Structure formats: C-alpha cells, structure tokens
Amino acid sequence: MKVTIDMENLETLVQTTMEKNIENIVKEQIEGTVRKVADDLSKKVIADEVSENFQRFVDEYIANTKIKVGGDYWDDTEEKEYTVEQYIKKELKERLDSKKLRAKKKGHTSSYNDDFENVSFEEYINRQFDFDDMIKKDLDKFMDDIRKQVNKTMKETFDNSTKSMLSNAVLNILGTNETYRQIENNIKCIADKQV
C-alpha cells in the first residue's frame, strides 16, 4: 500500500482555515459585545422609563386624589375635602406657623389621640436624638482607639528594646566563653583563607 500526500496547497489550506477561524472568533466577540451593550442600554432605558412613569403617577396622585379629613365618629371637627397636595401644604403651613409638631407622648405606644401632644421642633429633635449619648459614644470610641494605639506602640517599643538588650547581653556572655571565641576564630580563619 502506498499513500501519497499532496503538500502543494497546504499553505493555502492552513491560511484559509486560519482566516475563517479568526473571522468566526471576531464575529462572536462583536456579537457578544453588541448584545451586552444592547442589554445594558435597554435595562437603563427601562429603569429610566419606570422611574419617570412612577414619578408622574405619584405627582398625579398627589395633585388629583381627594381625601376627606375630620367629621368621623372620634373627631369633633367638621369634614373637609382636600387634594393630597392641598392637605400636605395646609399641614406644613400650620406646623411651620405654630412651630410645633404633633408627636407621641413619652412612653406611649398606642395611636389614640390622647397619646399625642404638641411639642416644639427643638423638643422633638431632643426626644429623637440623645446628643449627649451620641457624643459620649463617639468620644469613648475615639479614646479607646487612642488607648489601643498607645498600648500597641508601647508594647512594640518595649519588645524591641528588650530584644536588643538581651541580644547584647547574650553576645557579651558568649564572648567571654572559650568555645565561642574558638568558633569565632575558626570563622575568621575560613574567611581569611585565599582559594
């Protein structure tokens, strides 16, 4: 049996195959990149549209939805109808003019009218935030951090000084020992020998 291989067109065949492979790889890379960019862009557009539509819905709700306030069984004020926007503006104006907020009384957890009282803005903020406690916590943390840093630095300094002092003491003790001097002399002799 005799096998003959024609090598004449091998270079052209390899070149054509390589070109096709490279072309396919480049196409796949471009398609992947285009898909990713299109996905990212579409996600951004969708998020923007949803946000815009939701904002428009909320704005329309606030501007157009009617609510009734007062006039119920537990309230002795007359019933009035407002849009949500009108009611928000009315309540804000009243609160800012009176410089008072309606807040729960200290220690009360229910939502009955008797559990609320009008307080100044300053009193409300002081109830919500204990500034002395907040400052104390931050100051305690700051002082603890400084204490830890000082202790760490002192320990490192002590350790380094102790090591240096002990090393010198051990070296002096060894220096007086006859065996150590012989080893030291032998090392000097080895170093002094010329090859």
Side-chain angles (χ1 to χ4, degrees):
M1 172 179 342
K2 185 176 175 185
V3 177
T4 306
I5 299 175
D6 185 12
M7 302 293 269
E8 241 178 74
N9 295 328
L10 184 61
E11 182 182 340
T12 308
L13 181 63
V14 169
Q15 183 177 354
T16 306
T17 305
M18 291 288 290
E19 287 174 358
K20 289 288 184 192
N21 285 343
I22 292 173
E23 183 179 327
N24 289 337
I25 290 170
V26 169
K27 281 181 182 178
E28 288 173 6
Q29 291 294 323
I30 290 172
E31 284 176 9
T33 303
V34 168
R35 277 194 187 112
K36 185 179 181 319
V37 169
D39 285 348
D40 292 347
L41 185 59
S42 63
K43 286 177 185 175
K44 183 183 181 317
V45 168
I46 289 170
D48 290 347
E49 284 298 316
V50 166
S51 176
E52 185 180 315
N53 287 337
F54 186 74
Q55 183 64 46
R56 190 173 340 123
F57 170 76
V58 169
D59 291 344
E60 288 175 8
Y61 179 84
I62 290 173
N64 300 323
T65 302
K66 303 278 186 189
I67 58 171
K68 292 183 181 182
V69 178
D72 61 8
Y73 180 76
W74 300 103
D75 195 357
D76 59 354
T77 60
E78 75 175 75
E79 183 178 299
K80 292 185 179 180
E81 186 174 278
Y82 299 98
T83 64
V84 173
E85 182 177 21
Q86 290 170 333
Y87 185 70
I88 291 171
K89 286 179 180 178
K90 174 188 161 299
E91 288 295 313
L92 279 174
K93 183 179 182 321
E94 286 177 7
R95 298 295 177 249
L96 292 173
D97 289 347
S98 71
K99 297 182 181 175
K100 300 266 185 198
L101 292 173
R102 188 165 183 253
K104 281 192 178 186
K105 292 178 182 176
K106 285 187 177 180
H108 291 254
T109 56
S110 64
S111 296
Y112 296 113
N113 276 343
D114 292 343
D115 292 332
F116 289 89
E117 65 183 336
N118 288 328
V119 295
S120 68
F121 290 132
E122 183 179 336
E123 187 178 344
Y124 178 77
I125 289 172
N126 287 334
R127 277 188 190 180
Q128 297 300 317
F129 306 102
D130 186 358
F131 292 109
D132 291 337
D133 189 45
M134 291 168 68
I135 291 169
K136 184 182 180 309
K137 283 180 185 175
D138 285 345
L139 193 57
D140 287 347
K141 183 182 180 315
F142 177 73
M143 293 304 289
D144 189 50
D145 290 346
I146 288 176
R147 181 186 56 78
K148 286 178 181 174
Q149 183 62 37
V150 167
N151 285 344
K152 180 181 171 191
T153 304
M154 290 296 291
K155 183 182 181 322
E156 288 172 357
T157 303
F158 176 78
D159 288 350
N160 290 338
S161 296
T162 304
K163 284 179 187 174
S164 175
M165 189 173 64
L166 287 174
S167 295
N168 290 337
V170 167
L171 193 59
N172 288 336
I173 291 170
L174 285 176
T176 60
N177 186 323
E178 184 63 33
T179 307
Y180 177 78
R181 273 190 259 139
Q182 284 177 351
I183 293 171
E184 186 179 39
N185 286 335
N186 288 338
I187 291 173
K188 283 182 186 176
C189 289
I190 291 171
D192 289 341
K193 288 185 182 176
Q194 300 281 331
V195 179

